[in-house]
Amino acid sequence: KVVHLHVDSGSEAETYAAEQQDKKLRPLYNEMISLEKKTESLLNELEQMRKNEEKMRDINESTNARVAWFSTISLVSLVGVAGWQVWYLRKFFQTKCTKPFLLVAAPGL
């Protein structure tokens, strides 16, 4: 079995039959009221979307700033570790080269 469900929400869900019976308004006037409420609904949705976009932009800018700082700290630490390695290896090989070598004669030579 297939069940189809159609649900109207917002200004589309409102019916003006009661107003038409009570006030005996013309159908064109009822349509105008309906269009006005739909327009208000669209404007409210647009304002909500604008607020959401502003929040998302703020979050994006904050994330970009954090990534920039993280990249800067990573670069500084990388350069620092590379400098320390160069200094350590230079010192290691200088002390190794300044020690006298002991030549041990191999047997049979």
Side-chain angles (χ1 to χ4, degrees):
K1 292 182 177 182
V2 177
V3 177
H4 294 283
L5 178 65
H6 179 74
V7 178
D8 289 331
S9 64
S11 62
E12 296 174 353
E14 295 180 20
T15 58
Y16 301 101
E19 288 181 8
Q20 193 172 13
Q21 288 175 358
D22 292 343
K23 298 180 182 178
K24 295 186 170 105
L25 298 174
R26 296 184 307 239
L28 189 60
Y29 185 72
N30 284 337
E31 186 66 26
M32 188 174 70
I33 291 173
S34 174
L35 288 174
E36 182 181 10
K37 291 200 178 196
K38 286 180 183 178
T39 305
E40 288 174 2
S41 174
L42 285 173
L43 288 175
N44 289 338
E45 287 179 20
L46 183 63
E47 185 64 30
Q48 185 65 34
M49 288 174 64
R50 190 175 293 137
K51 288 178 184 177
N52 287 342
E53 187 267 336
E54 184 177 334
K55 286 179 189 176
M56 292 295 176
R57 187 178 57 241
D58 291 342
I59 290 170
N60 189 20
E61 289 174 359
S62 172
T63 304
N64 285 343
R66 289 179 182 178
V67 168
W69 277 109
F70 180 75
S71 298
T72 303
I73 290 170
S74 296
L75 182 65
V76 168
S77 64
L78 178 70
V79 169
V81 168
W84 176 78
Q85 283 180 344
V86 168
W87 173 79
Y88 181 80
L89 289 174
R90 189 176 285 168
K91 184 177 126 185
F92 175 78
F93 285 118
Q94 283 176 353
T95 58
K96 187 119 178 142
C97 291
T98 56
K99 289 183 182 178
F101 289 106
L102 296 175
L103 294 177
V104 179
L109 283 180

